[in-house]
Amino acid sequence: MRFSISTIISIILGVTAFLFYVSNVRPVGWFDSLVGITIGVIVFIVVKNFKGFK
């Protein structure tokens, strides 16, 4: 299984977005974790499908 550079960058940015959201929300409940995971997945998909500026 091969990973491209865009996949690795997408994973890093997705995890960073999740950690940034969770670190700014206190106290963290199950719903906040779900929202953080959703934000991380959205960032992953957007960065993975990014083709560049025209």
Side-chain angles (χ1 to χ4, degrees):
M1 185 168 168
R2 295 179 41 172
F3 290 110
S4 66
I5 299 226
S6 66
T7 303
I8 295 170
I9 291 172
S10 299
I11 291 171
I12 291 170
L13 288 177
V15 170
T16 304
F18 170 75
L19 291 175
F20 181 75
Y21 177 78
V22 171
S23 69
N24 286 320
V25 176
R26 296 284 184 226
V28 177
W30 67 269
F31 184 74
D32 297 321
S33 298
L34 188 64
V35 170
I37 291 170
T38 304
I39 291 172
V41 168
I42 290 171
V43 168
F44 173 79
I45 292 170
V46 167
V47 172
K48 183 72 176 145
N49 292 328
F50 181 69
K51 301 294 182 200
F53 295 110
K54 297 199 180 220

